[in-house]
Amino acid sequence: MGTVFGVAWSLMLTAGGAAVAAGAPFGAAGLGGQYLAGHVLLGVGIGHLLAMVVRFAVRRIMKGARTRPVAVQAPEARMASVTVLPARPASVPPLRGRHAA
C-alpha cells in the first residue's frame, strides 16, 4: 500500500508541477514565483518517482540474491565447550509467547 501511495503522490506532484508551470505567464513579474514553484514541484515529483523506481529495483535485486543457493562447507571437527544452565525451579511458571525465547 505504501508503494501505491508513493507512486500516486509522485505522479500528483509531477502533474501538478507541470500544470502550475504551464499556467504561469513567462513575462509577468507578479506570477514569476508560480513558474518557479511549478518547476520545483515538477522536480520533486520526478525525483520521488525515480527514488521509488530505484527502491523497487534494489528490492528485486536483493530478493534475487537471497533466493540463490549458497554452497555450504562442512564445519571442521573441533571440540566445543558447552555450558549447561541450571534447571528451572518448580516454583517458577514457564514463559509463554515472545518471552519464551
Side-chain angles (χ1 to χ4, degrees):
M1 189 66 189
T3 303
V4 172
F5 179 73
V7 170
W9 178 255
S10 63
L11 289 175
M12 180 195 68
L13 282 174
T14 304
V20 169
F26 297 108
L31 297 175
Q34 188 179 16
Y35 183 71
L36 177 64
H39 276 79
V40 168
L41 285 174
L42 184 63
V44 169
I46 291 173
H48 192 97
L49 186 60
L50 289 175
M52 296 290 292
V53 168
V54 168
R55 179 178 174 215
F56 176 75
V58 168
R59 282 187 171 190
R60 292 287 296 235
I61 290 169
M62 296 301 290
K63 184 178 179 182
R66 277 189 301 203
T67 58
R68 292 186 192 138
V70 177
V72 178
Q73 297 178 351
E76 297 177 12
R78 298 188 235 179
M79 296 299 290
S81 61
V82 177
T83 303
V84 178
L85 297 175
R88 176 178 46 85
S91 63
V92 177
L95 296 174
R96 299 186 185 273
R98 64 179 176 177
H99 303 291

